[in-house]
Amino acid sequence: MTNLLFLCARNRLRSPTAERVFASRPGVETASAGLAPDAEEPVTPDPGSGPG
């Protein structure tokens, strides 16, 4: 399984569009997030993604 995270400033157009385009591909899991504090879906740390 390949995981893709698409980022843009506010997660209102570019990254959600890219997420939808690639979501239909087999073996691909997608997500999108924004870097700005007022993003629709802001980037947050994922405690399960650390080393180990």
Side-chain angles (χ1 to χ4, degrees):
M1 175 71 64
T2 299
N3 295 305
L4 296 174
L5 174 60
F6 296 98
L7 299 170
C8 67
R10 292 195 172 87
N11 195 40
R12 293 193 179 128
L13 181 62
R14 291 170 292 200
S15 57
T17 300
E19 179 182 8
R20 285 191 287 289
V21 166
F22 284 89
S24 63
R25 295 182 183 243
V28 175
E29 186 173 317
T30 62
S32 66
L35 299 173
D38 63 341
E40 300 274 328
E41 182 71 36
V43 173
T44 57
D46 179 8
S49 65

